[in-house]
Amino acid sequence: MANFHTDALANSGNGTAHAKQEGAKSANTRGVAKIKAESVNVFYGENQAIKNVSVDIDERQVTAFIGPSGCGKSTFLRCINRMNDVIESCRIEGRILIDDNDIYAKGVDPVILRSHIGMVFQKPNPFPKSIYENVAYGPKIHGRTRNKSELDSVVEQSLRRAGLWDEVKDRLAQPGTGLSGGQQQRLCIARAIAVDPEVILMDEPCSALDPIATARVEELIDELRQNFTIVIVTHSMQQAARVSQKTAFFHLGHLVEEGPTDRIFTNPEDKRTQDYITGRFG
Amino acid sequence: MTDTTRPPASGWADEANRSNIGLKRRHARSRRLQGFGIGAIALAILMLGTLLWTMVSTGYSAFVQTHLSVEVTLSPEEIDAQSPGDANYRDIMQRAWLSSFDNVTEENEGDLLSMLSRGAELQLRNLVIDDPSLIGQTIQMEVPAADDLDQVEKGFVSRATPEEYRIVNDRQIEIFYELKQDGRVSTPFNTALFTEADSRFPELAGLKGALIGSFFALLVCFVLSFPIGIAAAIYLEEFAPKNRWTDLIEVNINNLAAVPSIVFGLLGLAVFIGFLGFPRSIPLVGGMVLALMTLPTIIISTRAALKAVPPSVREAALGVGASKLQTVLHHVLPLALPGIMTGTIIGMAQALGETAPLLLIGMNAFITAAPDSMMSPSTALPTQIYIWADSPERGFTARTSAAIMVLLGFMIIMNGIAIYLRKRLETRW
């Protein structure tokens, strides 16, 4: 379905048709690998941050990356939407395929790629603009809507899907930075899904939130799984256990172990995984 | 080993009571440092106070100007209503002035006439040209007194000084006091200071030419340096690869900010006037030279402002698929704008006060007409101060200080705008 070459942007098409297609497909495509990483190596200058990682990420599932600080899980996450491109010293080897298209192939425009792969960051980072502007920005720059009323409905839909609509519908013109931390993070999620991506990458989305806000975001992640492929980096093993179907454990740049979340947490194969999840290091 | 070995129950209190751990010395040291700091600030305030006091005390008198009242009869025989500009106003004014005295002789005629400013006849001429219906009437005019008399009124001439060391003689002073008793002397606000251009006569000299010249020069400076500076800063900060070349450029920009301004003047003289053939003394060239000087300031402050924008904003924009340029234009630049504005206004204030480069391109010429375009010769505020400070007449001493006050006034206003913009546009996180 996805083709990230510049000339194929028109394919991303019109929202309703897209949704119908998804509804029909959701039953049989779940569990199929959406993202395939094949022996990915990442270097920062001389330092190798990711060492020969190969992993499959299933469609419409939540995949959690866990591991101690500095193990490379965030770096790997940022390879999936080419956010590392902006770091000059960063060099990437290997292939990352999304729907069997190599995102590092020649002619792939990272700008188009990122409009198909949304990202939510560690610290809520809404633009210092109104709530409406925050959500509308993506659809606007990608020309996804033809007029104001269409844009309005995309904004409303996105905020509804992020579970924020009822809280902010009366103050859409107020700055997004004025919301509470949890609301800001859900606003960032709404901003990410407003461009109708296929994959959402979340880089420790709850680490700056209190337990109640965290619970809301986790609920939301579980709901979003119906429509999006989600990859989440987390430091909290409970969170990984709660929200994810698959878990991958990273250590010192290596992918140590991956598999269904239940198995990783109950019956890990590798000694290091076991030590980490039982809290012996990390 | 007697009562010093107390139980360690209150360890910290115990330690505070012991005097041999250098605590006193540490406190004394910090008090000394504070003392030096307060002393330095006090000294700075004293210096500033002295500066302001000398300026205001010498300059305040330039804001008023002694005027004498004259009754002038405008007879149609002397002034042709068809061409009112051609009449001999000097003669009309002089006769009107002398006619108000009873005992005019060959001897004292010169004394009397030199009490009037040369501006009196020009004032009369302008009055009649503006309103020809005055011809045939007798009008009462307040005309400026000559500078020497102005100084008498302001108390800068002492009668104790021997007559031969004074420009005004005893007779003139006596006449002046008689006029004063008759109520024919007034000291209104010196509007000429703002509405006239430079003049040889202090009582007629004003800052209009310098103000307009400075305005044009600053306009050119802003139009050139603001967009170029911001574009250069955005490229260097957001787009340029970080390598040896960009490092070299960065070092050089920082060095340019420290280059003496007179060097920029030489460059302007050589390139704009010598090579490109622009005329001398014009605000356009002045503005271009000032732009060269302001560019590094704007580039440096813009880069600092761009750097201060948190990376999370860039990530957020890139994350929803904004291109690099969209990220910068839609998100980074608006957030950096207060800092950019502040830097720019401070750069402009610096340019407003810059003298040396303008001297080199001839903006210190003696020009008695205010410029009507960027291409006509003019002075600027600081060069006008320079010219006046160089003039021997007593009246220019006060006017120099007054001009400095005007310049400082503009500086304060510009810095005030910078502070206001920063407060107003600042985004709170």
Side-chain angles (χ1 to χ4, degrees):
Chain A
M1 181 173 70
N3 188 337
F4 304 107
H5 293 263
T6 27
D7 51 350
L9 180 62
N11 288 355
S12 65
N14 145 334
T16 43
H18 198 59
K20 257 182 223 160
Q21 201 185 353
E22 272 172 12
K25 229 171 44 163
S26 64
N28 50 24
T29 58
R30 177 157 299 159
V32 170
K34 171 86 177 168
I35 305 170
K36 280 193 201 122
E38 293 173 358
S39 26
V40 173
N41 290 296
V42 179
F43 301 87
Y44 288 122
E46 294 298 305
N47 281 340
Q48 188 168 6
I50 297 288
K51 293 163 188 162
N52 199 26
V53 168
S54 296
V55 65
D56 284 0
I57 290 163
D58 293 343
E59 188 158 19
R60 285 159 221 272
Q61 298 271 328
V62 179
T63 304
F65 290 172
I66 59 170
S69 295
C71 67
K73 53 195 188 308
S74 284
T75 300
F76 184 68
L77 189 79
R78 286 161 158 265
C79 289
I80 300 175
N81 69 345
R82 292 187 60 170
M83 269 313 248
N84 285 333
D85 284 18
V86 292
I87 302 168
E88 243 171 87
S89 60
C90 186
R91 190 160 54 82
I92 294 153
E93 287 171 3
R95 299 206 302 166
I96 296 179
L97 306 174
I98 297 182
D99 294 330
D100 297 324
N101 291 316
D102 185 0
I103 62 168
Y104 284 97
K106 256 195 193 140
V108 173
D109 186 344
V111 167
I112 307 237
L113 174 73
R114 289 187 203 123
S115 74
H116 289 266
I117 301 177
M119 186 153 191
V120 177
F121 297 85
Q122 183 169 1
K123 209 177 140 240
N125 57 354
F127 300 128
K129 297 176 190 245
S130 72
I131 294 170
Y132 183 92
E133 282 293 319
N134 262 285
V135 184
Y137 183 68
K140 249 191 216 166
I141 58 170
H142 295 299
R144 294 285 170 84
T145 52
R146 279 186 296 272
N147 51 42
K148 179 84 170 70
S149 65
E150 242 179 83
L151 187 62
D152 284 349
S153 76
V154 167
V155 169
E156 182 180 339
Q157 223 181 1
S158 307
L159 285 168
R160 274 191 200 285
R161 286 164 98 179
L164 196 60
W165 175 252
D166 291 329
E167 291 161 60
V168 300
K169 63 182 174 199
D170 300 322
R171 45 176 174 148
L172 290 175
Q174 283 176 26
T177 40
L179 297 171
S180 75
Q183 288 174 324
Q184 285 189 19
Q185 196 61 301
R186 279 181 283 142
L187 178 62
C188 292
I189 293 173
R191 182 178 65 193
I193 59 186
V195 288
D196 204 15
E198 293 149 42
V199 180
I200 300 177
L201 308 175
M202 297 186 173
D203 190 357
E204 297 178 42
C206 300
S207 67
L209 305 184
D210 68 41
I212 296 166
T214 300
R216 294 239 30 200
V217 171
E218 284 178 7
E219 258 171 58
L220 177 61
I221 291 171
D222 206 49
E223 285 164 25
L224 292 175
R225 175 160 72 89
Q226 305 300 321
N227 297 309
F228 304 100
T229 304
I230 294 172
V231 186
I232 179 172
V233 164
T234 176
H235 264 134
S236 153
M237 275 163 298
Q238 290 88 337
Q239 185 170 59
R242 281 194 299 263
V243 300
S244 71
Q245 284 74 50
K246 265 185 79 179
T247 297
F249 173 64
F250 283 77
H251 187 231
L252 299 175
H254 293 285
L255 175 64
V256 174
E257 192 173 352
E258 52 127 352
T261 300
D262 331 343
R263 187 187 62 71
I264 293 277
F265 279 93
T266 52
N267 189 19
E269 284 166 6
D270 197 284
K271 177 80 168 57
R272 287 170 291 179
T273 317
Q274 193 177 4
D275 286 352
Y276 183 69
I277 59 177
T278 51
R280 230 161 281 165
F281 73 87
Chain B
M1 272 293 171
T2 47
D3 22 274
T4 47
T5 46
R6 271 184 288 173
S10 57
W12 69 268
D14 197 38
E15 189 166 343
N17 286 332
R18 282 190 291 164
S19 53
N20 59 350
I21 54 171
L23 208 56
K24 257 189 197 150
R25 235 187 23 233
R26 273 148 70 190
H27 284 313
R29 206 177 279 168
S30 95
R31 267 196 301 274
R32 212 155 46 228
L33 187 69
Q34 276 185 37
F36 284 140
I38 292 171
I41 290 170
L43 193 67
I45 291 175
L46 189 74
M47 297 284 191
L48 181 68
T50 317
L51 172 76
L52 289 177
W53 172 248
T54 41
M55 226 167 53
V56 173
S57 61
T58 47
Y60 77 97
S61 66
F63 288 100
V64 293
Q65 166 65 38
T66 310
H67 278 63
L68 304 168
S69 69
V70 194
E71 207 176 64
V72 188
T73 308
L74 302 163
S75 69
E77 288 90 63
E78 284 175 286
I79 307 166
D80 181 8
Q82 299 308 313
S83 56
D86 296 339
N88 186 351
Y89 288 100
R90 174 177 295 181
D91 191 46
I92 298 170
M93 181 49 83
Q94 286 185 346
R95 272 186 289 115
W97 175 242
L98 292 177
S99 70
S100 58
F101 298 98
D102 311 324
N103 48 355
V104 185
T105 61
E106 289 267 318
E107 231 171 79
N108 66 6
E109 199 184 81
D111 288 343
L112 289 171
L113 288 178
S114 67
M115 292 172 78
L116 269 189
S117 165
R118 294 290 289 276
E121 61 209 50
L122 293 173
Q123 196 182 328
L124 178 65
R125 182 170 182 265
N126 291 341
L127 201 68
V128 177
I129 291 175
D130 284 350
D131 184 7
S133 69
L134 290 173
I135 297 169
Q137 296 179 22
T138 298
I139 56 167
Q140 190 76 27
M141 281 181 72
E142 303 289 327
V143 297
D147 179 54
D148 303 327
L149 219 54
D150 189 39
Q151 299 307 319
V152 174
E153 168 63 16
K154 286 168 181 171
F156 295 123
V157 177
S158 166
R159 290 186 91 165
T161 315
E163 198 179 2
E164 60 265 34
Y165 293 133
R166 286 189 251 122
I167 296 176
V168 270
N169 57 35
D170 286 343
R171 252 176 320 179
Q172 287 176 307
I173 295 180
E174 260 158 50
I175 294 166
F176 179 70
Y177 283 117
E178 276 167 30
L179 287 172
K180 216 173 162 180
Q181 268 174 355
D182 296 345
R184 292 180 58 188
V185 176
S186 58
T187 50
F189 181 72
N190 185 7
T191 48
L193 189 60
F194 298 97
T195 58
E196 299 295 332
D198 201 6
S199 164
R200 256 183 324 128
F201 307 102
E203 71 273 14
L204 302 177
L207 290 168
K208 187 183 177 192
L211 287 171
I212 296 177
S214 266
F215 172 76
F216 280 145
L218 274 194
L219 189 73
V220 172
C221 172
F222 178 79
V223 165
L224 287 178
S225 59
F226 188 69
I228 297 177
I230 289 185
I234 289 179
Y235 175 73
L236 286 175
E237 194 58 42
E238 304 283 340
F239 294 96
K242 302 274 174 286
N243 56 29
R244 212 174 292 168
W245 288 109
T246 46
D247 280 351
L248 191 72
I249 290 172
E250 179 166 357
V251 167
N252 277 303
I253 288 173
N254 291 341
N255 283 341
L256 277 182
V259 165
S261 55
I262 198 157
V263 177
F264 288 107
L266 277 172
L267 177 73
L269 179 63
V271 175
F272 300 135
I273 296 177
F275 183 66
L276 295 178
F278 281 106
R280 272 175 294 177
S281 307
I282 60 170
L284 179 67
V285 173
M288 291 195 290
V289 171
L290 293 177
L292 291 178
M293 218 196 65
T294 315
L295 259 176
T297 313
I298 293 185
I299 293 177
I300 290 170
S301 64
T302 303
R303 289 191 67 176
L306 290 173
K307 240 182 223 144
V309 174
S312 66
V313 171
R314 293 186 179 82
E315 284 188 333
L318 290 175
V320 292
S323 69
K324 193 105 199 226
L325 187 66
Q326 284 171 326
T327 305
V328 172
L329 290 186
H330 297 169
H331 300 286
V332 179
L333 201 55
L335 289 175
L337 211 54
I340 295 174
M341 292 298 233
T342 312
T344 305
I345 293 172
I346 286 170
M348 288 290 137
Q350 214 180 342
L352 175 66
E354 202 53 69
T355 325
L358 301 184
L359 296 181
L360 281 179
I361 58 153
M363 284 188 82
N364 59 335
F366 175 67
I367 294 154
T368 53
D372 45 14
S373 79
M374 289 185 197
M375 296 298 282
S376 48
S378 84
T379 56
L381 266 177
T383 49
Q384 191 66 63
I385 291 169
Y386 179 84
I387 298 168
W388 284 357
D390 233 15
S391 306
E393 287 85 355
R394 185 65 180 77
F396 280 126
T397 311
R399 277 169 175 77
T400 304
S401 293
I404 294 173
M405 280 192 262
V406 172
L407 180 63
L408 284 186
F410 277 107
M411 300 269 186
I412 291 170
I413 291 171
M414 288 173 82
N415 283 304
I417 293 172
I419 293 168
Y420 173 77
L421 284 178
R422 192 165 52 207
K423 290 262 176 264
R424 182 70 198 280
L425 297 173
E426 209 167 45
T427 318
R428 286 173 220 293
W429 299 91

